Amino acid sequence: MKLTTKGRSKDICDFRVGDTAEISWLVTDKEIAAFAELSGDHNPLHIDKSFANSVGFKDCVVHGYLLGSKLSALLGMHLPGKRCLIVEQKLAYPEPAYVGDTLNYRVNVININASMRVIELKVSVTKSNKDPDQRNTVARGKVICKILS
């Protein structure tokens, strides 16, 4: 089931194991530059294509926390929504993401603890314009969210 919950306020009893939500994001140079400025992370791997090429990447690599910030948008605006407080997250980045990639974010409710008002979600971020010779997953992991009353 794909949820469209933007703007709705859901309580813990409204969630079911298997609920999912998705968003897509086209990575741009402008957002990478803005994130580098905001975070202070000006590592040349993220902002200097020549450097990124010299260490084996085809282009500048998207910051991991920029990928995570888009996940925050999915969690806070869609599933679980505006009552969500992220209390724990674990993300892995098995493949790089680059400018021009369209990334598809998907969260899936895998566990609910109603008495503690927490839900656990599986996270997957994949490229939709992938090279058939490369792996598709750029981030994966789990997030635990407290549902505020």
Side-chain angles (χ1 to χ4, degrees):
M1 168 192 334
K2 183 176 177 181
L3 296 179
T4 53
T5 59
K6 188 171 182 175
R8 289 186 41 211
S9 181
K10 294 183 73 172
D11 200 0
I12 190 71
C13 61
D14 297 319
F15 297 101
R16 301 289 177 262
V17 170
D19 288 348
T20 64
E22 299 174 341
I23 60 171
S24 294
W25 169 49
L26 174 62
V27 181
T28 66
D29 283 322
K30 184 177 178 182
E31 286 180 299
I32 289 175
F35 186 82
E37 193 61 33
L38 177 67
S39 68
D41 183 354
H42 297 278
N43 182 317
L45 181 61
H46 304 301
I47 60 173
D48 181 344
K49 184 174 182 174
S50 295
F51 178 82
N53 291 157
S54 76
V55 294
F57 294 96
K58 71 176 189 176
D59 204 337
C60 295
V61 175
V62 177
H63 298 78
Y65 280 113
L66 177 53
L67 292 171
S69 72
K70 298 299 180 174
L71 173 61
S72 180
L74 175 57
L75 296 168
M77 300 306 296
H78 298 278
L79 179 65
K82 69 181 183 180
R83 288 185 176 186
C84 169
L85 175 65
I86 300 171
V87 295
E88 183 178 327
Q89 67 182 20
K90 182 177 181 179
L91 296 175
Y93 306 97
E95 294 292 327
Y98 303 106
V99 169
D101 285 342
T102 297
L103 303 180
N104 301 304
Y105 285 72
R106 179 181 172 95
V107 292
N108 179 13
V109 176
I110 58 173
N111 192 24
I112 301 169
N113 184 323
S115 65
M116 293 183 66
R117 300 188 61 80
V118 297
I119 64 173
E120 183 178 6
L121 301 107
K122 180 180 174 184
V123 176
S124 174
V125 184
T126 57
K127 294 182 188 182
S128 63
N129 52 342
K130 66 176 182 161
D131 178 335
D133 296 327
Q134 293 182 339
R135 289 182 38 185
N136 188 17
T137 302
V138 297
R140 65 173 179 256
K142 292 184 182 173
V143 177
I144 297 174
C145 297
K146 179 143 183 109
I147 307 305
L148 303 175
S149 51

